[in-house]
Amino acid sequence: MRKKVILITGAAGEVGRSQIQHLAETDGTPLLTIDIRELAAEIEGMSTHLVDDILDNDLFAHLIADYEFDQALTLGPPAPRPAAENVE
């Protein structure tokens, strides 16, 4: 059975920190957070945190298999476009 969580990507930024604090205080659903950086010390214990890249297909397949997302908040910056698309 998959574990029901609220997924927060880009969680280590200021908006992520604020959302983690708010949801941890007001919602009983466990939080699963992902970022390429560690969380700030004051919110470390408020979620299960993975230091990883959500664009990693193997990681995403693992998450889909193990978790049911009640909500998903995508707070990180948009993924950069490949170099060929950046040419003006």
Side-chain angles (χ1 to χ4, degrees):
M1 183 172 189
R2 297 184 311 163
K3 183 177 180 180
K4 186 181 244 185
V5 297
I6 295 174
L7 174 67
I8 303 175
T9 65
E14 287 186 40
V15 175
R17 181 182 312 162
S18 174
Q19 286 298 309
I20 291 167
Q21 289 173 323
H22 173 74
L23 290 169
E25 293 169 2
T26 62
D27 193 297
T29 306
L31 304 177
L32 174 64
T33 57
I34 301 173
D35 200 296
I36 58 173
R37 299 176 293 157
E38 294 286 349
L39 294 178
E42 68 266 17
I43 59 170
E44 251 180 17
M46 296 181 179
S47 69
T48 299
H49 183 66
L50 302 174
V51 178
D52 215 323
D53 187 345
I54 191 64
L55 298 178
D56 179 316
N57 288 333
D58 291 334
L59 170 68
F60 197 71
H62 166 74
L63 295 176
I64 294 295
D66 292 347
Y67 296 97
E68 176 184 342
F69 305 125
D70 187 46
Q71 298 177 51
L73 306 174
T74 305
L75 305 175
R81 290 184 270 161
E85 293 181 22
N86 289 327
V87 177
E88 293 186 26

